[in-house]
Amino acid sequence: MVQRFQQMVRIDQPDRKAIDWLAAMPECRDLSRSELKAAMQKGAVWHSRGKSQPQRLRRASRLLNLHDRLYLYFDSSVLAQVPLEPALIADEGGYTVWNKPSGMLCQGSKYADHTTLYRWAETKLKPERPAFIIHRLDRATRGLVLLAHSKQQARWLTQLFEQRQVTKTYRAVVRGCAPEEPIRCQLPVDGREAISNIRRLGHDSERELSLVEVGLETGRKHQIRIHLSSLGFPILGDRLYGNAGVDDPDLQLQCVYLGFDDSGRSASYQVPESQQLQL
């Protein structure tokens, strides 16, 4: 049976370990200390001090101060999930490039983050490093994602994205016969400028599907999905904008190329051709 609850405790006795406070919670009476420690490692426990925002707390032996607050967001079904395995495309020390599989999250929830890409990187990379999210792909979207491994690198890479200095190219399998002529779609998304350059790579007349390449000049949420659907070519498997059926595959959208200038060096990364979406 799925067990799900939220609990907060305000620390009224200093110098006790976090695991002791968790074990003392009434809702945790049926949980062992090893189960609570596993929940901490998977990101279900948060800690705040003073006016600071809560941060994940993974160390069971952490001593807590008077008036600290400890939060537990427990969901047995979430904690039981097993992370998918991304492929490391490049390790540049200060940042890494990953090929995220469809179904993997970029960002976690308050209940856990152990199935996310950034947590995979933090626990698997050698040498170990913190990981910071620079940009995101939807859970169902596969392809290239950049992670920074210091706050300085995170600021730099975030600035590149904000200033549109990162070249981003996607592939998508869409319904219908996309035209052979390139399309420059400038339909605003959520009232903001959004520009996608679309080029057909192939067409399957029997299945009435097309393979398209999409280059982004802006990076609005769901931009590609909205633009292709508005043009009459919804992405195969798009249940939000394309009315996909239960028998359709997962979203057929993939980020296949990222490129930018790295201190005068042309940094470019792509998914191997054999792993890119095809008709």
Side-chain angles (χ1 to χ4, degrees), residues 1 7 10 51 53 55 58 63 72 79 83 86 105 109 115 121 154 161 172 183 197 245 251 268 273:
M1 187 174 83
Q7 181 67 39
R10 189 181 298 273
K51 296 181 179 180
Q53 292 297 313
Q55 302 290 326
R58 303 185 198 275
L63 295 177
L72 172 61
L79 294 172
L105 293 166
S109 71
T115 60
F161 276 90
I183 301 172
N197 296 301
L251 186 73
S268 60
E273 181 67 29

Side-chain angles (χ1 to χ4, degrees), residues 56-278:
R56 293 190 200 271
L57 177 61
R58 303 185 198 275
R59 188 157 59 89
S61 61
R62 174 78 174 271
L63 295 177
L64 303 184
N65 291 350
L66 192 66
H67 305 311
D68 283 3
R69 293 173 298 281
L70 193 65
Y71 308 81
L72 172 61
Y73 299 95
F74 191 92
D75 188 318
S76 58
S77 64
V78 173
L79 294 172
Q81 293 174 0
V82 178
L84 299 173
E85 184 171 347
L88 180 61
I89 297 294
D91 185 346
E92 307 293 1
Y95 64 88
T96 49
V97 186
W98 299 82
N99 186 9
K100 182 188 84 70
S102 175
M104 188 175 212
L105 293 166
C106 285
Q107 189 172 13
S109 71
K110 62 185 179 182
Y111 286 92
D113 66 350
H114 67 292
T115 60
T116 63
L117 176 62
Y118 77 84
R119 188 59 183 156
W120 176 278
E122 288 181 337
T123 57
K124 302 296 183 181
L125 280 174
K126 301 297 181 185
E128 291 186 2
R129 285 157 274 175
F132 301 91
I133 302 169
I134 305 302
H135 63 120
R136 298 170 179 82
L137 295 180
D138 292 341
R139 180 174 187 164
T141 304
R142 69 195 73 179
L144 299 183
V145 179
L146 274 169
L147 293 177
H149 298 294
S150 70
K151 291 183 178 180
Q152 180 181 8
Q153 290 283 298
R155 286 192 294 269
W156 166 62
L157 288 169
T158 299
Q159 188 176 52
L160 288 183
F161 276 90
E162 291 175 346
Q163 296 178 352
R164 302 183 186 179
Q165 296 180 17
V166 179
T167 301
K168 297 166 283 185
T169 305
Y170 289 72
R171 277 193 178 190
V173 177
V174 301
R175 295 191 180 277
C177 181
E180 294 183 358
E181 301 77 18
I183 301 172
R184 182 175 170 84
C185 184
Q186 302 184 68
L187 178 72
V189 173
D190 294 331
R192 304 173 69 189
E193 179 189 33
I195 304 173
S196 301
N197 296 301
I198 303 161
R199 181 170 68 96
R200 192 178 89 177
L201 300 178
H203 174 61
D204 185 329
S205 57
E206 291 186 6
R207 295 187 294 162
E208 273 301 291
L209 298 174
S210 298
L211 179 67
V212 298
E213 178 183 273
V214 184
L216 294 183
E217 294 186 27
T218 57
R220 309 304 179 205
K221 184 177 180 179
H222 294 170
Q223 176 177 321
I224 297 175
R225 299 167 69 176
I226 292 171
H227 277 180
L228 289 172
S229 180
S230 70
L231 293 168
F233 310 110
I235 299 175
L236 184 64
D238 192 340
R239 291 166 174 80
L240 184 58
Y241 300 101
N243 297 320
V246 294
D247 295 328
D248 283 338
D250 290 334
L251 186 73
Q252 297 296 286
L253 177 62
Q254 180 183 36
C255 180
V256 296
Y257 177 87
L258 291 173
F260 52 92
D261 180 82
D262 181 357
S263 302
R265 176 181 70 91
S266 179
S268 60
Y269 308 94
Q270 66 180 25
V271 175
E273 181 67 29
S274 61
Q275 299 174 27
Q276 294 188 20
L277 283 175
Q278 304 289 342

